[in-house]
Amino acid sequence: MTGREWSVEESLEVPAPPQAVYAALADVRRMKEWSPEVIWVWSRGDRFVGVNRKACWVWFATCRIVTADPGREFAFDNTTCGLPVARWGYRLTPTEQGTLVTEYWIDRRRRGWRRRLAELLGLVFTGTPAGRRAALNRAGMRTTLRRLSAACRTAA
């Protein structure tokens, strides 16, 4: 697996204060407005299920919020069939014009049979081999951040 990326980050300055950006991100049901893959979210407390789509593939992700620091950071862990898959998060840094939003993804499929099974399920459900997921996520993050920025600009 030489050359595999295990984490990805993308940043964009958003024309809104950190508290407003955090409020938008913490309402996980809104993720379908920004993400190019998310089509529906069901939320209950610190857990939610996201339904995703890419071309003809449709899959779900079970998520648990792990960081909820208003105005600073929001993150959640994603599992499939009880297997760790990834951590997704957003770090917020105040700027003169608004907020620098850094979206990050960390691949949590690390060792042994659980890793192999999670990678196989990922391929079957999403059509994307584990080694290509980082590049796909990087492109998706750019889209997500642009759409988030537009939504925050419109709300201001």
Side-chain angles (χ1 to χ4, degrees):
M1 299 215 113
T2 304
R4 178 168 173 182
E5 288 184 87
W6 293 93
S7 64
V8 174
E9 289 188 1
E10 285 291 321
S11 298
L12 183 70
E13 189 168 13
V14 172
Q19 292 292 341
V21 176
Y22 179 89
L25 291 167
D27 183 357
V28 294
R29 296 167 300 174
R30 295 192 66 193
M31 190 55 69
K32 64 186 178 194
E33 297 175 37
W34 309 311
S35 170
E37 289 185 344
V38 177
I39 59 173
W40 184 80
V41 176
W42 178 83
S43 176
R44 185 168 182 100
D46 70 343
R47 297 184 184 273
F48 62 97
V49 175
V51 178
N52 305 295
R53 182 187 71 226
K54 182 186 80 160
C56 63
W57 286 275
V58 176
W59 70 98
F60 69 94
T62 304
C63 302
R64 183 176 59 85
I65 297 168
V66 295
T67 305
D69 187 359
R72 298 177 58 117
E73 186 172 5
F74 181 78
F76 54 91
D77 283 346
N78 165 331
T79 61
T80 295
C81 301
L83 300 168
V85 175
R87 174 164 294 173
W88 286 89
Y90 301 86
R91 288 188 300 274
L92 311 176
T93 306
T95 66
E96 288 185 25
Q97 288 76 36
T99 305
L100 181 66
V101 180
T102 300
E103 182 174 8
Y104 62 90
W105 167 84
I106 302 167
D107 193 331
R108 295 177 59 226
R109 300 169 292 182
R110 294 295 174 149
R111 291 183 201 84
W113 69 269
R114 294 172 63 89
R115 169 186 168 179
R116 289 187 297 277
L117 181 56
E119 289 177 344
L120 176 62
L121 291 172
L123 178 60
V124 170
F125 293 153
T126 72
T128 303
R132 288 199 213 143
R133 186 34 94 170
L136 184 67
N137 287 349
R138 183 180 302 283
M141 287 174 173
R142 291 175 181 152
T143 299
T144 298
L145 291 171
R146 282 193 308 269
R147 290 176 179 172
L148 173 65
S149 180
C152 288
R153 188 176 304 112
T154 301

